[in-house]
Amino acid sequence: MIVNLANISYLSTPAQPNGAVADEQLGGHLQQILAGRQLSALFQPIVQMQTGTIIGYEGLIRGPSDSPLHSPLRLFQAARTLNLTQEVEFLCRCVVLERFAELALPGKLFLNVSPECLLPQRDGKLSHTLEIVRQAGLQPDQLVIELTENQPTYDYEQMRNAVLHYRELGFEIAIDDLGEGFSSLRLWSELRPEYVKVDMHFIQGVNSDPVKLQFVRSIQEIAEKSNTLVIAEGIEQQAELLVLRDLGVAFAQGYHLGRPHANPAKALPAEVAKALSRNGVSVYPQQTAENQTASIMKLLHKVAAVPPTMNNNDVYDIFLADPKLLIIPVVENDKPLGLISRFEMIDHFARPYQRELYGKKSCKQFMDSKPLVADKSTSLQDLSFRMVESDAHHLFNGFIITDRGRYLGMGTGHDLMREITQMQINAARYANPLTQLPGNVPINEHIDRLLQSGTKFWACYCDLDHFKPFNDVYGYRRGDDVIQITGRILTSHTDRDRDFVGHIGGDDFMILFQSEDWEERCRAILDEFAACVTEFYSNEDRERGGYISEDRQGKKVFYSLMSLSLGVIKVAPRQYYSHHQIATSASEAKKQAKKIHGNSLFLDRRDGPGR
């Protein structure tokens, strides 16, 4: 059971009108609550992911229902204003402990305490907690002291000593709201708690946000290495629950598992327990091809600048001394003024009398005064757009990199194009830029996860028939439209939480079904594709059911309207051992489907590879 005390005890609300009068009124209510022990406890379950059993409860405090201090936010704001925070916290602990014991709830009590109240010299009453626990008929090993940090902690040595003291008494330690507090990661490193609770901000939407997924995955990896158990709080959807289960997160909490209640259930709702017991893996959110935010700092070259007072003869000598130097920036008081091109200067000095006329004049004479300048925070993608829209000479001259207007160095157009090209190649492997569907790497990773889980699934290879001649006749832009709509059709007929849709490349797609009704979904895909594809043809071709195009030998050939072929293999546990085998078998099934005229579905009923 978790008593959520420090969570709420250090929050504040805006000042009320007529503050002194309001404080006096709230003070009267608070004194009545303390004198009459007018607090009640609600409990919310915490669930073990792999078994679905409840391992404890979080206790939430409420004031009297007819009081302005019913809300815990108002209750603890009043306590802080009147310097009664410790008294209110102590009463909360008593009420929740006693009610927890009275209800005989299973599992542990996680008792939330702010770090500053954990220290003995600041809270004499916390040392009485052990006595209260025993009076309630509980044992210390049923309690976990959960540290909620709403104010910064600096005295880590004193914190370690306090934690050691409570561990020696039999309590365990947890850190609450990891990712929200001031230094919760430092606390984790210093105290080595038995549990960490990940803040709900990183949990809600984890099934659709790749950044949140990576955050939780990183926390889980740290937890495994430090023998810490992770509790994910704030779960409101089944998809969130299953993604977290697949990541290996130990425990879960949230409205989807059970709302706070004065007399909570001692078992999970049947539908939640069924979902947790179901075999299979969840579909992880994917990074899109557009998520290219790398900074241009990786292109930075330290290039010595010259002041505008330097004459052209001296700049020319610098170029002669370094044959590889192509550009010299002109900078005054750290502010970039322009660029001098090696070839521009040599070209000028090669003309009759140019050196005699301009050699002793300022180097600004031959300077490009409108160079391409970008701050160090500029992304590679944004800079490439600017480069394309700028004059062509910027691609050769390169660009100046600044830090809030101060000169840092140079970048070359060649380096920029190389990085952008590599990013596009990498992006295509992870997410197809045309459809934004996952590419080959995520497809293979998901297949490997399915194989490791030992679950049954179906691999469906999807391929368009007569796509290349369609491209030849109608153009690549129309072909791209067909590929995009095919991706949308495939996605619309799959379960986003159970079925994985990937884009292998070109007009090839892969669906990894866990849905038992996969065949019905495939038929719906074929029906919708047949209805939509005719829109991409001219009226004449649509009426005659095809079009004329040249084959590879240059002969005129009649092609039917495009159709979609689906080749499916069923993958039973331990039937295949790698994504390579899956890809080979699914490709063979696709070839069989393409032998069937029109939109077709072929299921390979043979048993496994090498059959």
Side-chain angles (χ1 to χ4, degrees):
M1 163 186 162
I2 297 175
V3 183
N4 201 347
L5 302 176
N7 253 17
I8 52 182
S9 60
Y10 295 97
L11 298 173
S12 60
T13 54
Q16 301 296 315
N18 302 316
V21 176
D23 288 348
E24 183 177 350
Q25 292 175 344
L26 291 178
H29 287 292
L30 186 57
Q31 292 292 352
Q32 290 178 8
I33 288 172
L34 289 172
R37 294 171 57 91
Q38 297 173 354
L39 293 176
S40 56
L42 305 179
F43 299 95
Q44 187 175 29
I46 296 175
V47 176
Q48 214 282 344
M49 287 277 201
Q50 299 304 319
T51 64
T53 57
I54 294 175
I55 60 97
Y57 294 81
E58 175 180 4
L60 303 169
I61 285 295
R62 296 292 184 269
S65 59
D66 58 351
S67 166
L69 300 182
H70 173 70
S71 161
L73 184 70
R74 297 292 303 277
L75 175 70
F76 283 97
Q77 189 275 336
R80 280 183 61 83
T81 301
L82 299 167
N83 295 318
L84 292 172
T85 299
Q86 292 184 358
E87 288 79 359
V88 172
E89 278 206 25
F90 183 68
L91 177 57
C92 289
R93 289 197 290 270
C94 293
V95 169
V96 176
L97 280 164
E98 292 167 2
R99 183 59 178 162
F100 178 72
E102 181 183 344
L103 292 172
L105 293 173
K108 292 181 178 291
L109 161 62
F110 287 66
L111 189 65
N112 281 14
V113 181
S114 56
E116 61 268 28
C117 287
L118 184 70
L119 303 178
Q121 70 272 26
R122 299 191 185 180
D123 183 6
K125 291 188 176 181
L126 189 60
S127 62
H128 298 159
T129 299
L130 183 59
E131 181 182 347
I132 303 168
V133 170
R134 288 172 175 165
Q135 287 178 355
L138 303 173
Q139 296 299 319
D141 61 4
Q142 292 178 263
L143 270 74
V144 179
I145 294 176
E146 183 171 326
L147 300 176
T148 300
E149 190 183 26
N150 291 287
Q151 294 180 357
T153 298
Y154 301 110
D155 196 338
Y156 292 103
E157 182 177 359
Q158 202 170 28
M159 285 293 301
R160 285 196 302 269
N161 293 334
V163 164
L164 178 61
H165 168 71
Y166 288 105
R167 279 200 175 112
E168 289 174 347
L169 293 176
F171 297 91
E172 291 182 311
I173 304 298
I175 294 177
D176 192 20
D177 293 335
L178 187 74
E180 180 189 36
F182 296 91
S183 55
S184 49
L185 286 174
R186 172 74 184 272
L187 269 180
W188 187 356
S189 175
E190 295 282 355
L191 305 183
R192 303 300 171 97
E194 284 78 14
Y195 305 87
V196 292
K197 286 184 68 178
V198 180
D199 182 68
M200 67 175 63
H201 167 78
F202 299 99
I203 299 303
Q204 293 177 351
V206 70
N207 59 302
S208 57
D209 188 329
V211 175
K212 291 182 178 181
L213 176 76
Q214 185 56 52
F215 177 87
V216 178
R217 175 183 275 158
S218 299
I219 292 302
Q220 179 61 25
E221 290 175 357
I222 297 171
E224 290 171 356
K225 289 179 172 61
S226 59
N227 295 318
T228 302
L229 296 170
V230 175
I231 302 172
E233 59 181 344
I235 296 174
E236 295 187 355
Q237 301 177 30
Q238 179 174 296
E240 296 166 350
L241 179 70
L242 297 181
V243 164
L244 294 163
R245 180 198 65 178
D246 287 359
L247 286 176
V249 172
F251 305 119
Q253 177 185 355
Y255 283 1
H256 183 67
L257 305 166
R259 290 176 174 270
H261 198 278
N263 190 3
K266 297 181 180 180
L268 274 182
E271 63 273 16
V272 178
K274 181 179 178 181
L276 283 174
S277 65
R278 187 178 65 195
N279 289 331
V281 300
S282 56
V283 177
Y284 286 168
Q286 303 293 326
Q287 294 280 5
T288 67
E290 294 177 349
N291 190 23
Q292 301 172 352
T293 58
S295 156
I296 62 173
M297 280 297 287
K298 67 189 306 182
L299 306 181
L300 178 69
H301 294 279
K302 297 290 186 180
V303 179
V306 300
T309 55
M310 182 176 286
N311 64 46
N312 287 315
N313 283 332
D314 291 340
V315 173
Y316 184 75
D317 289 341
I318 293 174
F319 279 126
L320 291 181
D322 186 355
K324 294 183 179 180
L325 183 62
L326 301 178
I327 295 289
I328 295 178
V330 181
V331 176
E332 184 175 32
N333 298 325
D334 292 331
K335 182 180 178 181
L337 302 180
L339 296 174
I340 302 174
S341 163
R342 177 189 193 91
F343 300 111
E344 284 286 331
M345 174 158 278
I346 291 176
D347 180 62
H348 278 289
F349 274 21
R351 300 174 189 174
Y353 310 115
Q354 292 289 302
R355 185 161 189 175
E356 289 79 5
L357 287 172
Y358 300 110
K360 294 184 179 181
K361 292 187 177 182
S362 166
C363 62
K364 293 172 65 177
Q365 185 77 35
F366 300 137
M367 179 186 76
D368 175 6
S369 60
K370 295 182 179 179
L372 189 60
V373 180
D375 188 80
K376 67 178 184 178
S377 62
T378 305
S379 71
L380 292 168
Q381 194 81 352
D382 288 343
L383 182 59
S384 69
F385 291 147
R386 289 182 58 190
M387 184 73 78
V388 169
E389 294 172 354
S390 301
D391 292 339
H393 73 275
H394 290 305
L395 186 61
F396 174 79
N397 285 352
F399 49 91
I400 295 173
I401 300 176
T402 60
D403 180 5
R404 289 173 291 185
R406 300 184 60 174
Y407 174 75
L408 289 181
M410 294 285 302
T412 70
H414 176 269
D415 286 347
L416 175 63
M417 294 301 104
R418 185 192 66 243
E419 286 294 330
I420 289 294
T421 301
Q422 190 60 49
M423 285 171 61
Q424 291 173 341
I425 292 171
N426 292 338
R429 295 174 64 224
Y430 284 89
N432 189 282
L434 183 60
T435 61
Q436 297 299 301
L437 290 172
N440 290 319
V441 171
I443 292 171
N444 293 337
E445 288 176 348
H446 192 76
I447 292 175
D448 289 340
R449 289 179 59 223
L450 286 164
L451 292 174
Q452 291 167 10
S453 73
T455 190
K456 173 181 62 177
F457 67 98
W458 291 264
C460 175
Y461 199 123
C462 315
D463 188 24
L464 294 175
D465 306 317
H466 312 311
F467 179 72
K468 185 182 180 304
F470 174 87
N471 254 356
D472 294 340
V473 172
Y474 284 92
Y476 287 100
R477 184 178 296 274
R478 186 70 67 89
D480 287 350
D481 291 341
V482 172
I483 289 175
Q484 286 178 323
I485 198 170
T486 301
R488 288 196 290 270
I489 291 172
L490 299 180
T491 302
S492 67
H493 291 285
T494 53
D495 182 339
R496 59 171 293 181
D497 297 325
R498 302 197 68 203
D499 304 327
F500 183 100
V501 182
H503 189 170
I504 298 170
D507 59 321
D508 294 337
F509 297 82
M510 177 73 78
I511 306 176
L512 302 168
F513 283 110
Q514 293 181 79
S515 298
E516 295 285 345
D517 60 345
W518 65 270
E519 185 170 356
E520 179 181 338
R521 294 175 183 272
C522 286
R523 298 293 181 192
I525 287 170
L526 294 176
D527 290 344
E528 184 172 354
F529 181 85
C532 290
V533 73
T534 57
E535 299 175 5
F536 295 95
Y537 292 91
S538 66
N539 290 333
E540 180 183 359
D541 288 344
R542 193 182 302 124
E543 289 175 2
R544 63 180 177 179
Y547 54 96
I548 303 294
S549 181
E550 292 185 354
D551 63 13
R552 294 180 179 178
Q553 287 73 42
K555 298 179 180 179
K556 298 288 186 180
V557 177
F558 178 82
Y559 290 95
S560 302
L561 300 183
M562 273 185 295
S563 55
L564 181 61
S565 294
L566 307 180
V568 180
I569 61 169
K570 178 181 178 180
V571 182
R574 294 173 295 281
Q575 184 179 3
Y576 294 82
Y577 300 96
S578 73
H579 59 257
H580 301 290
Q581 293 176 320
I582 299 288
T584 299
S585 296
S587 179
E588 291 176 0
K590 179 259 301 186
K591 292 176 182 177
Q592 295 301 317
K594 290 179 79 68
K595 294 179 180 179
I596 304 171
H597 179 72
N599 296 290
S600 60
L601 171 63
F602 175 83
L603 172 62
D604 190 338
R605 302 183 184 277
R606 295 175 294 174
D607 297 326
R611 58 244 156 149

